[in-house]
Amino acid sequence: MFSSGISATVFLLCCLVFTAEAVQRLTVTPDKGSVLQISLVKGSACKVCFSVGRSRKCNQGDQLKDSAPVTVEFQCPRPQDVYQVEVIRNIECTTRSCTGHIQTDSPASRSFLEFSRKFTWNLRATAPKAIQVSFTKLGVRQISPLISCPDKHTFTLGAVQRTGNVMIGRYCLEGTTQSVQILSQGRFSLDVPAGQQLQSYQFDVSVGEEIKSLAKIKVALPPGTSSSELLSPNYPESFPDDDVMEWHFEVSDKQRAVVEFQELVQPRCVKKQTAVEYHCRGRGALVLKLTDPPPVQNQGNFSLTLRNCEMDRSRAGLPGLSLKIKVSVSTLKSPQVSCNVDLRKSGGFSLHVDKLRPDSGCVMTMDSVLKEKITVPTNGAALLSFQDCPPEELRVTSSRVIDCDPLKDCPKMPIPLAVPFLATCLPAPLTGVSWTLRPPQHGTVELTSPVTPLRQSLPGQTCNDTLYDISEEAGDTVGRFCPHGSVQKIQVHSSVVFSLTTVGGQALKPSSKPVLTVVMKGEISDRYIFTVTPKKNTTVSLATPGWPKGMRSYATVSWIVSVPSNMEAHVMFANISQPKCSNRHTNIRVQRLGSREEDYSRREDEEAEDQIRVPASFFLNMSNCMPESREFSVLSKITLHRSKNGMLTIILSVVAALLVIFTVALVVVCVVIRKKKKALSHQVSIYNPNGTSFLPRENLPRSREDDEYHIYDSIEDTLVYTHLLKKGAEMGIYGDVEAHPPVTRHSDSQKPLVPKDSRDQDMDVGEYQEFPFPNSKAPPLPNRPLSRPMVDNEIYQSSEPEGGQRIGPRQDPEGGD
């Protein structure tokens, strides 16, 4: 009895130990947005139970979807031998974007290190676009099914079709395949064996092109000599029936590519024929049979398209289409280019030739010595040779050093800084020129633009073509500038390096016209001084040296801004970054030229104004402290506007000018009116019976010219008086009168008639004068009745003729004057 009890106890303990060893319990939390699937991959009676709270479920496999802790219990001694853990995610793309990328990281899978793990991403595109997976950082290489990857991370890419799934290929990291585009739907997976730590990788997923093939694979072949192997889909099984596959190869223009088909297995076709198409630059599509010799591709990039026929599937065992594609590239040797460079007449320039890629196949020599970098010194000469050196793999630059000491020995005239003329046999154009400018001790470098002022290159105001990079020789940046601005002069109190380049690395054109001129000057008060001449209604942006970084400690900078007399400057501090100073203070100061008073001054511990107005030319000065933290940088904007005081001055000036004009016009009008009144005043003449009238001008001095002004050569009496005589005859006043010869006398109807003989005689006013002509030549008097006596007045006086007979006043005929 006792021995039987002991045996039962031992048996029970053994059962408990066996049960404890046969159960493995894990607690896992599925990753957000993923499905954790535990599935049986080998035949076994093992079960797995999932417990969430009081709920418990046991079977041979299941999926965990919720992001909640789950207790997983395997009811077998070694579940890692028969179970596989898979993490599944979905990525969907519209015609513009995708919902995520491939990230090989899963915290939930870390609990299953002893299990084989698989990470799967289901990819779905929106027609007509394809979905693209890029491996641009590392690249991948295709492997056959029997080969494993060195890091034990194997990637598989497949396409999902209505007729079934197609394996596009298995891949390892680091290869020539850069990207894969899949039509409609695809699947990307990573297999990691048991006990292998998961490495973290990321592959970009994006919207692809509109493709007509099963997939399109991009392969970038490296420089030099190499080869790559590619496999048909489903290799070594058959390529899908009546389907198309495309590969695009990127090859340098200096390489030759050769395509070779290996292990070719062709099907029995019912419809169509198997074929391969070649597409390359500068040549149309070339369609060949798979057994035809492929062409040699030596014109850069090309594409290869594989087409399958409708295969005979009438009975099992018939072959399908499968093949290996081997692409080999080799470098084409170009002729050697020699160039003789002589810089002895270049004006102090040196020449530099650098390779842009360390792995370039370019071979350079200088005087038959192999060089990785060529430098021809100032006033030097050398024979250069280049082989397999395309222009895009080389950078050609030139430099010059200008210095002088002491200041009195420095050139007084500006030194032009122009792009030099170099040898035209160089394999690449000149893309950069630099000048190192070293003033005397305590001296200043003054740069001036002789053609057009400069402007700073700032965010939103970048350069379009030429770029001027100005920095101190010690490395501190002064600024980057472009032509067509308002900065006319730049002064730097230290050695300066001025570099001239073009945007986009284009070639610089040699020219004798300088881009800038330089003069060495004496010491200045600030480290940097800029002379600025803004234009009306144009905003000028001015940034502190080194922008967007801060100024160096204790550095000062000034801008001398010219403002026209009728304008005012609006200064806006668009961006101010103030430091915490450990010594001294930063200062922003505005002061008009010629004034001792400051218009504006602020330190780092004072609140700055956003904008100020300055009605005249001014200094804008800024100084830095010794920063303890942060940096001092300021971006200012200056705009010229018409001054309000200037407008008032203009208005007053216009009003004053109008008043002056009105006053002058009024004086002129008054003078003209006065002269007209004087000219229209009544003039009195004296009647003379002898036929001559006189003006009372005895008291006015007269000259011979005044008298002769009214003298005429002759008057035809018959033409002047005949019509009066005829009218008088009709009235019975005059008889028939014969015409007399013309009498030379005055004929001006507007002036008094004065005979020539009386020119020097003084006639008495109011006395009777005899007719000046002799009686024999006088015309006969007309027969006329006696008239009434003349009326005595102040002007006309009557006189008694001899014989006591009174003569009445003469009556003019009708129409007479």
Side-chain angles (χ1 to χ4, degrees):
M1 246 340 252
F2 181 74
S3 61
S4 62
I6 293 175
S7 300
T9 302
V10 172
F11 175 77
L12 181 60
L13 290 174
C14 292
C15 291
L16 291 175
V17 172
F18 176 79
T19 304
E21 291 180 354
V23 175
Q24 288 190 17
R25 185 177 291 107
L26 301 172
T27 301
V28 296
T29 301
D31 300 327
K32 184 178 181 180
S34 65
V35 175
L36 181 65
Q37 180 172 298
I38 301 175
S39 56
L40 192 66
V41 293
K42 292 182 180 180
S44 174
C46 185
K47 290 187 177 182
V48 60
C49 298
F50 303 93
S51 301
V52 179
R54 296 183 179 181
S55 174
R56 180 180 174 86
K57 181 173 60 174
C58 297
N59 49 40
Q60 289 191 331
D62 205 346
Q63 292 183 342
L64 305 178
K65 298 181 180 180
D66 299 330
S67 299
V70 179
T71 300
V72 180
E73 184 179 295
F74 294 96
Q75 296 182 349
C76 55
R78 291 188 57 83
Q80 61 268 27
D81 294 339
V82 294
Y83 277 97
Q84 182 186 54
V85 177
E86 183 177 6
V87 179
I88 303 172
R89 293 184 175 92
N90 296 323
I91 297 178
E92 294 188 1
C93 295
T94 63
T95 56
R96 295 185 177 181
S97 61
C98 299
T99 58
H101 299 289
I102 296 174
Q103 181 73 42
T104 61
D105 187 19
S106 173
S109 67
R110 297 170 187 171
S111 301
F112 299 94
L113 181 61
E114 300 301 323
F115 292 76
S116 62
R117 286 146 292 159
K118 185 175 184 178
F119 303 88
T120 302
W121 290 266
N122 294 320
L123 311 174
R124 181 185 294 271
T126 300
K129 299 290 186 178
I131 191 167
Q132 176 174 283
V133 181
S134 300
F135 316 100
T136 51
K137 292 184 178 180
L138 297 174
V140 293
R141 60 183 175 89
Q142 192 169 8
I143 60 174
S144 63
L146 301 178
I147 298 177
S148 60
C149 298
D151 61 355
K152 299 181 180 180
H153 285 59
T154 304
F155 301 93
T156 303
L157 194 60
V160 179
Q161 294 186 323
R162 295 179 180 178
T163 56
N165 296 339
V166 179
M167 185 184 71
I168 295 174
R170 300 173 71 245
Y171 300 89
C172 298
L173 286 176
E174 299 183 2
T176 58
T177 300
Q178 299 295 305
S179 65
V180 177
Q181 297 186 63
I182 304 172
L183 183 65
S184 186
Q185 297 184 51
R187 180 175 290 119
F188 183 81
S189 62
L190 168 62
D191 291 285
V192 181
Q196 178 66 41
Q197 290 284 351
L198 175 64
Q199 301 296 323
S200 179
Y201 302 108
Q202 178 173 324
F203 305 113
D204 295 334
V205 178
S206 60
V207 179
E209 307 170 5
E210 295 184 17
I211 62 175
K212 305 298 182 182
S213 57
L214 171 69
K216 181 178 180 180
I217 299 178
K218 177 182 176 182
V219 180
L221 300 174
T225 301
S226 63
S227 62
S228 299
E229 286 189 354
L230 304 168
L231 305 174
S232 59
N234 283 337
Y235 185 89
E237 302 299 326
S238 177
F239 183 62
D241 193 62
D242 195 18
D243 214 333
V244 180
M245 182 71 183
E246 184 179 359
W247 291 268
H248 177 74
F249 298 92
E250 291 187 349
V251 185
S252 170
D253 291 338
K254 298 298 181 179
Q255 290 179 304
R256 180 179 61 185
V258 177
V259 179
E260 182 182 357
F261 297 143
Q262 298 177 347
E263 302 181 14
L264 174 62
V265 177
Q266 293 211 66
R268 180 182 295 176
C269 296
V270 177
K271 291 183 180 179
K272 302 181 183 178
Q273 294 293 329
T274 59
V276 60
E277 294 182 12
Y278 297 92
H279 299 264
C280 63
R281 184 176 57 194
R283 188 177 68 188
L286 179 62
V287 182
L288 299 175
K289 297 179 180 180
L290 293 176
T291 55
D292 293 338
V296 176
Q297 305 291 335
N298 54 6
Q299 296 182 353
N301 302 341
F302 69 96
S303 298
L304 186 151
T305 303
L306 178 64
R307 296 184 179 275
N308 197 6
C309 64
E310 185 177 335
M311 299 181 294
D312 183 3
R313 294 296 188 181
S314 59
R315 66 177 187 271
L318 290 176
L321 175 62
S322 65
L323 74 160
K324 282 185 179 181
I325 303 173
K326 182 179 180 180
V327 181
S328 302
V329 292
S330 59
T331 303
L332 293 174
K333 295 295 183 180
S334 61
Q336 187 176 18
V337 177
S338 298
C339 185
N340 193 3
V341 177
D342 189 351
L343 300 179
R344 286 172 289 189
K345 296 182 180 180
S346 65
F349 282 94
S350 59
L351 176 67
H352 313 277
V353 182
D354 299 275
K355 296 180 182 180
L356 295 178
R357 292 194 299 111
D359 57 349
S360 172
C362 173
V363 178
M364 302 188 303
T365 64
M366 177 176 173
D367 294 330
S368 301
V369 179
L370 190 64
K371 296 284 186 180
E372 289 296 317
K373 177 180 180 180
I374 291 178
T375 298
V376 181
T378 303
N379 298 323
L383 178 61
L384 310 181
S385 66
F386 304 90
Q387 188 171 18
D388 297 329
C389 298
E392 60 272 13
E393 294 186 5
L394 295 178
R395 179 176 61 233
V396 178
T397 59
S398 184
S399 62
R400 180 186 176 188
V401 177
I402 300 176
D403 56 1
C404 64
D405 194 26
L407 182 61
K408 62 183 181 63
D409 294 337
C410 297
K412 305 303 179 184
M413 298 298 294
I415 302 173
L417 306 181
V419 179
F421 290 86
L422 299 178
T424 58
C425 55
L426 293 170
L430 181 68
T431 56
V433 182
S434 64
W435 292 265
T436 301
L437 311 172
R438 296 171 182 161
Q441 187 177 8
H442 307 300
T444 300
V445 175
E446 180 178 288
L447 293 169
T448 305
S449 178
V451 179
T452 175
L454 306 179
R455 64 178 178 87
Q456 278 190 271
S457 177
L458 299 169
Q461 303 178 13
T462 56
C463 299
N464 297 325
D465 44 18
T466 310
L467 181 62
Y468 301 175
D469 196 337
I470 302 176
S471 61
E472 298 184 51
E473 191 175 11
D476 296 325
T477 300
V478 177
R480 309 184 80 184
F481 299 86
C482 316
H484 311 297
S486 301
V487 180
Q488 294 187 331
K489 187 186 299 182
I490 301 173
Q491 295 173 292
V492 183
H493 190 208
S494 70
S495 297
V496 170
V497 176
F498 164 48
S499 300
L500 177 67
T501 56
T502 58
V503 178
Q506 301 298 319
L508 289 173
K509 296 181 179 179
S511 175
S512 58
K513 296 182 179 180
V515 292
L516 292 181
T517 60
V518 61
V519 178
M520 304 299 180
K521 294 290 187 73
E523 188 174 3
I524 57 176
S525 58
D526 299 300
R527 191 168 188 85
Y528 315 98
I529 296 179
F530 300 86
T531 302
V532 183
T533 304
K535 299 177 183 178
K536 180 182 177 183
N537 298 328
T538 301
T539 300
V540 179
S541 298
L542 304 174
T544 51
W547 176 271
K549 296 182 179 180
M551 291 174 59
R552 61 181 299 173
S553 302
Y554 301 126
T556 59
V557 58
S558 289
W559 291 271
I560 303 175
V561 184
S562 299
V563 180
S565 58
N566 60 338
M567 308 291 288
E568 67 177 10
H570 293 195
V571 183
M572 182 178 66
F573 302 108
N575 191 327
I576 300 179
S577 175
Q578 292 281 11
K580 180 181 180 182
C581 297
S582 61
N583 188 20
R584 299 186 187 178
H585 296 279
T586 66
N587 191 14
I588 302 175
R589 184 167 58 94
V590 176
Q591 183 175 348
R592 278 175 278 182
L593 299 182
S595 175
R596 295 184 177 181
E597 298 182 359
E598 295 178 349
D599 293 84
Y600 177 86
S601 180
R602 291 293 186 277
R603 303 190 320 186
E604 84 281 357
D605 53 359
E606 298 175 336
E607 185 177 355
E609 297 182 13
D610 294 335
Q611 182 174 320
I612 61 173
R613 296 183 179 181
V614 187
S617 299
F618 63 94
F619 287 103
L620 174 59
N621 178 268
M622 300 181 190
S623 58
N624 195 10
C625 63
M626 171 58 75
E628 179 180 336
S629 61
R630 300 187 300 274
E631 293 179 320
F632 177 60
S633 61
V634 180
L635 176 61
S636 309
K637 295 185 177 181
I638 299 177
T639 308
L640 293 184
H641 297 275
R642 189 170 295 279
S643 174
K644 295 182 179 179
N645 294 333
M647 289 295 295
L648 181 60
T649 302
I650 293 175
I651 293 174
L652 293 178
S653 300
V654 172
V655 172
L658 292 176
L659 288 176
V660 170
I661 294 173
F662 177 76
T663 304
V664 171
L666 183 62
V667 170
V668 171
V669 170
C670 292
V671 171
V672 171
I673 293 176
R674 185 175 180 181
K675 286 185 177 181
K676 286 186 177 181
K677 286 184 178 181
K678 187 175 181 180
L680 294 177
S681 60
H682 295 288
Q683 298 180 357
V684 180
S685 63
I686 300 173
Y687 175 74
N688 189 341
N690 293 328
T692 303
S693 298
F694 304 93
L695 290 174
R697 294 182 179 178
E698 292 76 11
N699 297 327
L700 298 177
R702 293 184 299 175
S703 63
R704 182 177 182 86
E705 288 79 10
D706 294 335
D707 292 340
E708 292 180 353
Y709 178 80
H710 302 289
I711 297 175
Y712 296 86
D713 292 335
S714 63
I715 298 177
E716 180 63 43
D717 288 340
T718 58
L719 298 177
V720 176
Y721 300 109
T722 302
H723 67 289
L724 299 179
L725 296 176
K726 289 181 179 180
K727 289 183 180 181
E730 292 174 357
M731 296 172 59
I733 299 176
Y734 300 106
D736 294 334
V737 180
E738 294 179 359
H740 293 272
V743 179
T744 301
R745 71 178 70 178
H746 198 289
S747 63
D748 190 348
S749 63
Q750 301 298 326
K751 303 295 180 179
L753 301 177
V754 181
K756 291 183 179 181
D757 296 340
S758 64
R759 184 175 302 164
D760 298 326
Q761 299 177 2
D762 293 334
M763 297 184 179
D764 296 332
V765 178
E767 296 182 3
Y768 176 77
Q769 302 290 334
E770 292 183 357
F771 195 77
F773 296 95
N775 291 333
S776 61
K777 295 182 180 181
L781 293 174
N783 295 324
R784 56 187 179 187
L786 296 176
S787 60
R788 289 173 296 179
M790 293 182 63
V791 179
D792 295 335
N793 52 42
E794 297 177 358
I795 300 176
Y796 299 96
Q797 302 292 335
S798 62
S799 59
E800 294 288 340
E802 293 182 2
Q805 191 175 11
R806 179 183 294 271
I807 299 177
R810 180 176 177 175
Q811 292 184 354
D812 294 331
E814 183 181 357
D817 293 336

